[in-house]
Amino acid sequence: MQIDDPLENAEDVPGAQSLTRGIDLLLLLGRSSPLTFRQIQDHLDLSKGSLHRLLSALRSRRLVRYDRDTRRYAIGATVMSLARGALDRDATVRACQAEMSRLSQLLKVPCCLYVSDDDSVFVLDAADPAGRTVRVWPRLSIEDSTPGQAILAGRPAGQKNEWSADLQRILSKARALGYVASYGDPLAVAASVLDGEGTVVGALCCQFDAAGTRPEKLHEAGQMIREAARRASHHVGVTQRLNEQGIAPRPKTGFTGRVHDTGRDYVGESPSWCAQTGRLWWLDVLAPALRWLDVETGQSGRTLLEGLTGGLALTTGAELLLSGENGLSLFDPASGAQTALIDPEAHRPENRFNTVGVDPQQRMWVGTMPLDNLEKSGTLYRIHPDLTPEIIVPEIFLPKNTVFSADGRHAYLTEQDREGGHAVLIAYELGDDGLPVSRRALLQGSEAQGQPAGLTIDAEDCIWVAMRGGWSVIRLDTEGKELARHALPVPMPTALTFGGVDLDSLFVTSTYLRLPPGYNDIAPLSGRLIELKPEVAGRAPVRVKLERP
């Protein structure tokens, strides 16, 4: 049910009539095509002098613009800038963007993020399968609309006892299903999004054409939207914390690499070069999607994946090894089939597996991390080619990107210093059995230079580090001494690897979803794939040869 236009119901506040008239004028222009002076005057019932003064004041602050050719008034640049800034800073919007984009592509319909405002709901952001479009979505009653009912269902049961019996039945069913399905015209399905503390902050909603849409399709969509809302809920808490992350000053040295036209990744991760196919493979973790670039032709692609996927490794066959929300699996790029392998933490659904590292003996080092909370610990595993898991470190915080020296005697990875709140690059000395015998810190993250994130090793056994928040990648020797620093056009690089025919290109992934507020405009290339020529070659990745029954 659509609610009334606020302009028709608004009450004046004593002593603030001029302010409310100016707000009414902005609301009118925001909901209309450009209007003439007379049209505005007729709608607001203002005198010529009063309206002229209001328009002059608003134009002086660029809240309203005037087209001399058409003699019409419209919303000004300042309002647009405020709206963009508010959306950029809103943790719920940023946490839901990947899921909205994914749903709109899968379901071929727009996906909206609704939030509540007293007894109504309105669209805060939307994704459209046809690309970014401008739409006006009406405000809806919270009790009579599908997204509003999804928001109510996400609130504690019994919070409002005066709900009608019909609404109580709808909410009870929604809590059982995890989503609300409406069979009106248009058909709609919605599921609530919660923050890190379990408080409902909005709802994801998709609408469908009543003609030709079977009831079972609504429920299939409901399951997809429910899972998307669950993943978005995990992102909300993380995004709220990332709003506090500092960004180092931009390097004064210029960027000398290449930015590939592969589109933006929400969170690019786990790049790996495959000489057999001539492709660079990587992941968009929060989409979640498998990405690829044909280095020779420049062609690129994206395949949507099931569940959050953080790690990728090559196998001796054509399949790719993936790690994520449901443990380890094999993915066949040719058919799109994904086959589950092993999930050592099936008993911990609050965790997911992160990036995969492969040691010289083809054993996979992979850690787990919480889906929704940076403060909980995970576990670092070593998984043998026969899929036998063993625990290496039983309690570790955000383990990421394990890489190995050429002789297999040292392992390097980044993890979180829980007390200091910074990422740390750790070096492990390994014994004859390949297990750690000692541990030392090589590099501590800071706001002045960024946080160590993704790692790779070059042919000279030096370590390359993506400095998240530091606008750069750096090269270290095995003692942690900085040997080189390469500036990037993005503040948040995430991971890196060597690739190309001669392994002389350094490919760097990045993120734009996890930028602190305001940085989308400062660094518009964020989320893109970057290529550097560092004048040193890398090593070919170790491929996993699985020993399955």
Side-chain angles (χ1 to χ4, degrees):
M1 175 183 173
Q2 184 172 340
I3 66 170
D4 294 334
D5 188 327
L7 285 177
E8 297 179 4
N9 294 326
E11 297 180 359
D12 285 342
V13 177
Q17 283 85 355
S18 293
L19 176 61
T20 54
R21 293 293 181 269
I23 294 171
D24 286 348
L25 199 161
L26 290 174
L27 290 173
L28 173 63
L29 292 178
R31 290 171 167 81
S32 311
S33 55
L35 300 174
T36 65
F37 186 97
R38 182 58 182 269
Q39 288 171 325
I40 298 172
Q41 186 182 15
D42 289 345
H43 194 93
L44 296 181
D45 194 23
L46 293 174
S47 68
K48 268 189 181 180
S50 295
L51 180 55
H52 178 74
R53 287 191 295 272
L54 279 177
L55 287 170
S56 297
L58 293 171
R59 287 180 65 193
S60 73
R61 298 298 186 266
R62 299 184 185 276
L63 294 166
V64 168
R65 58 186 170 86
Y66 176 65
D67 189 322
R68 296 184 185 277
D69 294 329
T70 63
R71 296 187 174 185
R72 292 175 183 270
Y73 295 87
I75 285 293
T78 299
V79 176
M80 303 295 189
S81 178
L82 286 172
R84 284 197 302 267
L87 289 176
D88 186 29
R89 287 164 173 78
D90 190 276
T92 305
V93 169
R94 296 167 66 209
C96 292
Q97 282 176 336
E99 297 302 333
M100 287 191 295
S101 176
R102 175 180 169 84
L103 282 172
S104 70
Q105 294 298 321
L106 286 173
L107 297 174
K108 309 301 182 187
V109 296
C111 179
C112 297
L113 168 63
Y114 280 85
V115 294
S116 62
D117 180 20
D118 294 329
D119 291 328
S120 65
V121 294
F122 64 95
V123 173
L124 192 60
D125 198 15
D128 193 290
R132 202 67 177 175
T133 58
V134 178
R135 292 172 180 257
V136 177
W137 302 91
R139 295 169 68 90
L140 304 172
S141 163
I142 194 170
E143 294 187 14
D144 299 322
S145 65
T146 305
Q149 291 166 356
I151 289 174
L152 294 179
R155 294 175 180 174
Q159 193 176 71
K160 192 172 183 180
N161 296 323
E162 63 266 29
W163 286 331
S164 68
D166 286 342
L167 181 56
Q168 292 279 17
R169 282 192 291 271
I170 292 172
L171 299 186
S172 296
K173 183 178 180 181
R175 292 188 181 108
L177 292 174
Y179 59 88
V180 176
S182 168
Y183 298 93
D185 187 10
L187 306 177
V189 184
S192 59
V193 177
L194 312 179
D195 66 11
E197 297 180 352
T199 302
V200 63
V201 293
L204 297 182
C205 180
C206 293
Q207 293 183 347
F208 302 85
D209 250 335
T213 302
R214 306 182 312 277
E216 57 265 28
K217 181 179 178 180
L218 275 192
H219 289 291
E220 291 172 5
Q223 294 169 27
M224 295 171 64
I225 295 170
R226 177 189 63 201
E227 291 305 302
R230 182 180 65 84
R231 287 193 294 265
S233 298
H234 293 315
H235 304 338
V236 172
V238 174
T239 304
Q240 288 170 332
R241 291 181 179 86
L242 287 165
N243 283 350
E244 304 170 0
Q245 179 174 330
I247 296 290
R250 192 165 191 163
K252 295 180 180 179
T253 55
F255 168 64
T256 58
R258 175 185 179 188
V259 180
H260 284 276
D261 187 20
T262 55
R264 301 178 84 186
D265 296 318
Y266 291 103
V267 181
E269 185 58 88
S270 295
S272 192
W273 166 251
C274 177
Q276 294 177 3
T277 60
R279 286 183 173 183
L280 180 80
W281 299 96
W282 75 99
L283 297 168
D284 188 346
V285 177
L286 296 188
L290 175 67
R291 306 295 321 280
W292 60 267
L293 169 70
D294 187 307
V295 175
E296 183 176 348
T297 66
Q299 291 182 314
S300 62
R302 171 190 295 269
T303 303
L304 296 179
L305 300 172
E306 293 293 333
L308 297 178
T309 307
L312 180 155
L314 303 179
T315 70
T316 52
E319 296 169 307
L320 301 173
L321 181 95
L322 303 179
S323 61
E325 192 174 354
N326 300 308
L328 273 62
S329 62
L330 278 180
F331 182 83
D332 183 353
S335 66
Q338 189 166 348
T339 305
L341 292 177
I342 182 176
D343 187 359
E345 290 204 354
H347 60 291
R348 298 187 67 182
E350 74 278 8
N351 273 7
R352 71 167 172 88
F353 280 84
N354 202 11
T355 52
V356 179
V358 184
D359 69 18
Q361 288 72 41
Q362 299 181 319
R363 296 170 296 207
M364 296 160 280
W365 290 47
V366 56
T368 59
M369 59 175 284
L371 281 164
D372 60 351
N373 192 322
L374 296 179
E375 298 175 357
K376 298 176 184 176
S377 67
T379 301
L380 182 63
Y381 292 88
R382 185 172 73 171
I383 299 177
H384 293 258
D386 65 358
L387 300 180
T388 301
E390 62 178 316
I391 294 175
I392 298 175
V393 182
E395 186 175 67
I396 191 169
F397 294 86
L398 296 180
K400 182 177 180 180
N401 288 117
T402 309
V403 295
F404 302 87
S405 59
D407 61 7
R409 303 298 297 192
H410 293 87
Y412 306 92
L413 75 157
T414 57
E415 59 184 75
Q416 191 84 0
D417 176 6
R418 186 181 185 186
E419 295 182 1
H422 294 288
V424 186
L425 170 58
I426 301 295
Y428 286 99
E429 183 181 353
L430 306 180
D432 294 337
D433 57 0
L435 295 175
V437 295
S438 67
R439 175 187 184 277
R440 59 193 173 95
L442 289 187
L443 178 66
Q444 176 90 25
S446 69
E447 292 193 2
Q449 67 172 348
Q451 308 292 332
L455 307 175
T456 193
I457 288 189
D458 63 30
E460 299 174 6
D461 251 10
C462 291
I463 310 154
W464 289 80
V465 190
M467 298 301 292
R468 176 171 50 85
W471 300 88
S472 61
V473 298
I474 60 175
R475 187 189 189 212
L476 306 176
D477 67 14
T478 55
E479 297 302 316
K481 177 183 177 182
E482 184 175 320
L483 303 176
R485 180 178 291 262
H486 293 259
L488 300 173
V490 299
M492 300 278 279
T494 50
L496 70 175
T497 195
F498 284 93
V501 176
D502 299 318
L503 292 171
D504 59 350
S505 290
L506 186 65
F507 293 96
V508 185
T509 57
S510 63
T511 176
Y512 85 88
L513 184 63
R514 290 184 168 177
L515 283 175
Y519 272 82
N520 272 323
D521 291 334
I522 297 172
L525 294 176
S526 295
R528 301 281 288 276
L529 177 69
I530 298 165
E531 181 179 354
L532 302 173
K533 290 288 187 180
E535 298 183 354
V536 63
R539 300 203 317 253
V542 178
R543 292 174 174 266
V544 179
K545 185 177 182 180
L546 295 174
E547 301 171 5
R548 292 184 292 165

